[in-house]
Amino acid sequence: MSNVIDEVPSEFRDVIVELLGEREPELLSALRAQEKPTLDQQEAVIDALGDAFTENLGAGYEPTERGVVIDNALGTFLTRWPAEELSDR
């Protein structure tokens, strides 16, 4: 069985694992143990990566290089698991 984290493309997996490990370690563990996220878990991923993105804005509120990676990682996650395909459990 593959899990949510394994399904994230390798180019974004490390940043998602790093950020969730720092900010939401229980969520990271849960995502490593299931095939797809719940709606609540998706919201928690959005919150964690969104906060990290905001912290990586530079002059003129343009994203730094890391901010771009975080934004792309979040976009990839949301594309892979759109909300309409997720359940509350």
Side-chain angles (χ1 to χ4, degrees), residues 24-75:
E24 294 284 346
E26 290 179 18
L27 173 61
L28 177 60
S29 293
L31 294 177
R32 284 183 163 148
Q34 59 198 69
E35 291 184 43
K36 69 180 187 177
T38 65
L39 283 169
D40 287 342
Q41 289 170 331
Q42 183 194 59
E43 186 65 35
V45 169
I46 291 169
D47 289 346
L49 272 63
D51 288 347
F53 174 77
T54 301
E55 293 166 9
N56 284 277
L57 294 175
Y61 297 101
E62 289 295 318
T64 63
E65 189 174 315
R66 180 161 171 83
V68 170
V69 171
I70 294 167
D71 186 49
N72 289 338
L74 179 55

